[in-house]
């Protein structure tokens, strides 16, 4: 049974969603995006779970994708990691973390990111770089200028 991100919940037909693994927080999100869809999902057989996101956050820190992932995204990722099931997602950051971990994933539509990348903080003053560890704005340790998140090569 695959783990389904919110794009799948919004766009897939009910038959395809049946039996999928989803996070309780996605239902909340879906109620805001599409109340009709949320009602439909509650009427079919799905596995609704809740899970801590510690491991998922650590994995997202490793690739620098943490700032691009919402709490709901992180919970969906945590479900995929803990169950070992394939994650269906169109979110490039979720795909990137999965690729980094060697975890199976597939896109909901047909756009799948091609390469592995990571993000890093780069100082706008002295160009010093460091890992993205939190969602907070960062200041350069070297010169005190603001740091911006930039894509980096692996
Ligand atoms: Zn600096």
């Amino acid at each position: 049974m695959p783990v389904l991100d919110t794009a799948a919940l919004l766009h897939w037909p009910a038959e395809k969603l049946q039996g999928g693994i989803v996070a309780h927080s996605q239902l909340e999100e879906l109620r805001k995006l599409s109340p009709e869809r949320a009602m439909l999902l509650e009427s079919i057989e799905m596995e609704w779970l809740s899970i801590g996101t510690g491991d998922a956050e650590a994995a997202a820190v490793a690739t620098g994708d943490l700032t691009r992932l919402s709490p709901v995204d992180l919970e969906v990722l945590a479900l995929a990691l803990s169950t070992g099931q394939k994650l269906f997602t169109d979110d490039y950051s979720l795909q990137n973390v999965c690729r980094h971990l060697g975890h199976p994933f597939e896109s909901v539509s047909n756009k799948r990111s091609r390469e592995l990348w990571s993000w890093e903080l780069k100082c706008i003053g002295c160009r010093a770089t460091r890992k993205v560890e939190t969602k907070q704005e960062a200041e350069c340790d070297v010169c005190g200028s603001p740091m911006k998140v930039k894509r980096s090569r692996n």
Side-chain angles (χ1 to χ4, degrees):
M1 288 298 117
V3 176
L4 307 175
D5 92 346
T6 306
L9 301 186
L10 281 169
H11 302 297
W12 279 4
E15 316 84 73
K16 210 172 162 189
L17 293 168
Q18 201 119 22
I21 298 169
V22 269
H24 282 295
S25 56
Q26 287 176 275
L27 189 57
E28 308 292 309
E29 188 177 59
L30 208 59
R31 284 202 183 106
K32 286 175 213 147
L33 294 169
S34 168
E36 306 78 34
R37 205 66 192 170
M39 274 171 65
L40 169 76
L41 287 179
E42 286 176 292
S43 73
I44 62 179
E45 192 80 15
M46 302 194 72
E47 191 143 0
W48 295 98
L49 300 171
S50 288
I51 191 168
T53 56
D55 290 350
E57 281 175 43
V61 165
T63 59
D65 285 292
L66 185 63
T67 56
R68 286 161 201 277
L69 296 172
S70 69
V72 175
D73 292 333
L74 286 167
E75 200 172 1
V76 171
L77 177 61
L79 283 179
L81 299 182
S82 74
T83 59
Q85 298 298 314
K86 184 190 271 184
L87 175 61
F88 277 86
T89 182
D90 279 345
D91 185 297
Y92 282 3
S93 285
L94 285 177
Q95 293 183 356
N96 193 47
V97 177
C98 284
R99 185 178 280 119
H100 178 76
L101 295 171
H103 187 90
F105 68 92
E106 213 168 289
S107 60
V108 172
S109 53
N110 285 318
K111 25 173 196 165
R112 176 178 159 135
S113 61
R114 295 222 171 76
E115 23 156 0
L116 181 68
W117 73 89
S118 61
W119 302 94
E120 65 185 8
L121 286 169
K122 190 164 202 171
C123 173
I124 63 166
C126 72
R127 325 293 293 162
T129 58
R130 70 166 194 257
K131 273 172 83 175
V132 186
E133 306 269 3
T134 67
K135 294 198 180 221
Q136 260 91 61
E137 304 255 308
E139 253 177 32
C140 178
D141 294 332
V142 183
C143 72
S145 303
M147 300 191 86
K148 297 248 182 262
V149 178
K150 292 260 185 323
R151 197 163 156 162
S152 75
R153 302 222 159 255
N154 285 290

